[in-house]
Amino acid sequence: MNSKIAIVIIIIKEEDYADYEIAINTTKCYAKHFGYQMHLIYAEKTVEIQENCKQNDIYFKRHCALAWFLEENKNTIDYALYIDADMGVINPCHTIQEYIDVDEKIEIIFYERYYNHEIAAGSYLLKNTQTSRSFLLYWSNYKLPESFHGTDNGALHVSVL
Ligand SMILES: *[C@@H]1O[C@H](CO)[C@@H](O)[C@H](O)[C@H]1NC(C)=O
């Protein structure tokens, strides 16, 4: 089963890789140890993302890019853990399977920031289904109001509702 679980990281510009290398190295090591797929996607270099994800805001573009990537790979990826490029593995003694719903009814899992009850946009676990891909597209196309909004993190709350 592990081989159909993927860790996906999306970087907009390839030259930014060096900024995230320490964190990405920990994730690569973790993925290799547990036999997970690891995908590093450079959004600006990927023609399909440029064509299908026209968002100007890079935060929204990433969620759209993920929806596209999961659609393209729906035969080989059952579950995807999306993480921000600057996130590293601190406790490698936990597997991704521990967070997968055994009844397979839950399609997306976000986490809550303990200090303000906000649903965090920076990492989430998805079952690769039409519903979760549609959710990502809905979220990534959300039109922000002209006031304080917190970009994709604000839009996430509206999308969840
Ligand atoms: C990341 O891993 C690569 C390959 O093992 C290594 O060459 C590189 O120095 C590492 N980078 C950092 C920042 O530790």
Side-chain angles (χ1 to χ4, degrees):
M1 184 202 181
N2 291 18
S3 62
K4 291 192 113 181
I5 299 175
I7 298 174
V8 184
I9 297 174
I10 298 169
I11 296 178
I12 303 292
K13 295 176 199 289
E14 193 171 10
E15 61 259 35
D16 292 339
Y17 179 81
D19 295 342
Y20 308 121
E21 194 175 346
I22 294 173
I24 290 172
N25 273 6
T26 69
T27 311
K28 276 186 183 163
C29 184
Y30 174 78
K32 193 169 181 184
H33 178 78
F34 286 108
Y36 303 132
Q37 298 173 42
M38 163 110 188
H39 299 279
L40 198 59
I41 300 167
Y42 295 107
E44 281 195 345
K45 270 179 58 184
T46 311
V47 177
E48 293 87 344
I49 294 174
Q50 291 306 325
E51 280 172 2
N52 295 305
C53 301
K54 302 282 188 201
Q55 293 85 350
N56 293 320
D57 181 312
I58 61 162
Y59 294 107
F60 287 106
K61 197 189 260 304
R62 292 180 313 175
H63 305 305
C64 173
L66 181 63
W68 164 81
F69 180 75
L70 292 178
E71 171 75 34
E72 290 280 294
N73 294 282
K74 62 186 170 199
N75 296 327
T76 50
I77 297 175
D78 288 344
Y79 288 92
L81 176 68
Y82 168 80
I83 54 173
D84 275 349
D86 61 356
M87 289 182 167
V89 176
I90 290 180
N91 182 353
C93 299
H94 287 278
T95 63
I96 296 172
Q97 292 92 308
E98 287 172 44
Y99 301 92
I100 290 175
D101 174 45
V102 284
D103 296 328
E104 302 206 327
K105 285 185 190 131
I106 296 174
E107 292 174 272
I108 310 180
I109 299 175
F110 288 98
Y111 75 91
E112 191 180 330
R113 284 188 227 281
Y114 71 93
Y115 55 86
N116 64 0
H117 305 292
E118 184 179 42
I119 304 167
S123 88
Y124 44 86
L125 180 61
L126 296 158
K127 186 176 182 187
N128 191 4
T129 62
Q130 184 63 52
T131 309
S132 56
R133 294 190 300 268
S134 299
F135 177 85
L136 289 179
L137 290 177
Y138 177 86
W139 176 21
S140 68
N141 288 319
Y142 186 77
K143 297 281 172 279
L144 293 167
E146 294 195 17
S147 67
F148 179 79
H149 47 62
T151 62
D152 63 334
N153 220 127
L156 173 58
H157 290 76
V158 182
S159 303
V160 167
L161 277 176

